[in-house]
Amino acid sequence: LLLSLAQQVALSLDNLRLVQTTQERAGQLEALNDVSVSLTSSLSSDQLVTSVLDQLSTIIPYDTAALWLREKDRLSVASARGFSDTDQRLGLSVYVSDSALFKEMAQTGHPILVRDVREDPRFPPVEAPRLSWLGIPLISKGELIGAIAMEKWQANFYTREQVQVGITFASQCAISLDNARLYEDSVNRATELDQRTQRLTVLNRFASA
């Protein structure tokens, strides 16, 4: 009787975990869809850079996060959240080749999940470190254009499911940033063309006179 009861309890617990997991994934998908709509609706690079980490917090928890964007061989902090010295971090840059983590993401295009930074030689020993670290590369046309780095105080926080959600988010983010830059380039070129046309019109009038 006890064995039968234990089997029923185990089955009920498995069903409960399955329902909870399904609900969590459904919630993540809904949030990810909302985030995608929000990202694709913006054609301003500055607005996107400002909102990316806020949008990310709705689908993946973090204590601190930084958005790094690439300019030639360097990655620079374009946006940050959760740091006590956030303002000082903005604009901080590093050569991709000088960072083992960024270099690996640039070479492989894959995210890096560090469950405990104290056990990873790529992280220098510091007092009271944030133990969980997750880096998601922003890839466009096969090239690294940036990266998102997230941290949590507790170890073993991030899961493979969250990594997959992060990959989807980063892919949408990279596309949106590319679209915004293309749009801004086209606007700038149109403005430049209009200015040239106006100058030519003035010159033609002067020549005619």
Side-chain angles (χ1 to χ4, degrees), residues 75-141:
L75 281 169
S76 300
V77 178
S79 179
R81 296 288 185 276
F83 297 98
S84 59
D85 58 346
T86 295
D87 292 339
Q88 286 72 33
R89 289 176 181 266
L90 297 179
L92 179 69
S93 64
V94 62
Y95 282 103
V96 175
S97 58
D98 289 342
S99 169
L101 296 164
F102 290 149
K103 184 178 180 180
E104 181 178 333
M105 283 192 280
Q107 291 174 343
T108 66
H110 297 154
I112 298 177
L113 172 60
V114 180
R115 300 190 182 278
D116 191 331
V117 299
R118 296 170 299 184
E119 300 174 358
D120 194 306
R122 293 171 295 186
F123 289 85
V126 297
E127 185 178 351
R130 300 173 186 90
L131 299 181
S132 293
W133 191 90
L134 175 59
I136 306 289
L138 304 180
I139 305 295
S140 176
K141 300 171 185 170

Side-chain angles (χ1 to χ4, degrees), residues 15-29:
N15 290 337
L16 179 60
R17 292 192 188 98
L18 180 60
V19 170
Q20 289 175 335
T21 301
T22 303
Q23 290 175 339
E24 289 174 359
R25 290 183 179 177
Q28 282 182 333
L29 288 174

Side-chain angles (χ1 to χ4, degrees), residues 3-61:
L3 179 60
S4 177
L5 180 60
Q7 290 173 341
Q8 290 296 323
V9 171
L11 181 60
S12 298
L13 288 174
D14 281 342
N15 290 337
L16 179 60
R17 292 192 188 98
L18 180 60
V19 170
Q20 289 175 335
T21 301
T22 303
Q23 290 175 339
E24 289 174 359
R25 290 183 179 177
Q28 282 182 333
L29 288 174
E30 183 179 358
L32 189 57
N33 182 65
D34 293 340
V35 166
S36 297
V37 171
S38 178
L39 289 176
T40 54
S41 64
S42 176
L43 289 176
S44 168
S45 294
D46 292 339
Q47 183 179 349
L48 274 171
V49 168
T50 302
S51 66
V52 161
L53 296 181
D54 294 331
Q55 299 285 352
L56 176 64
S57 66
T58 64
I59 55 175
I60 302 179

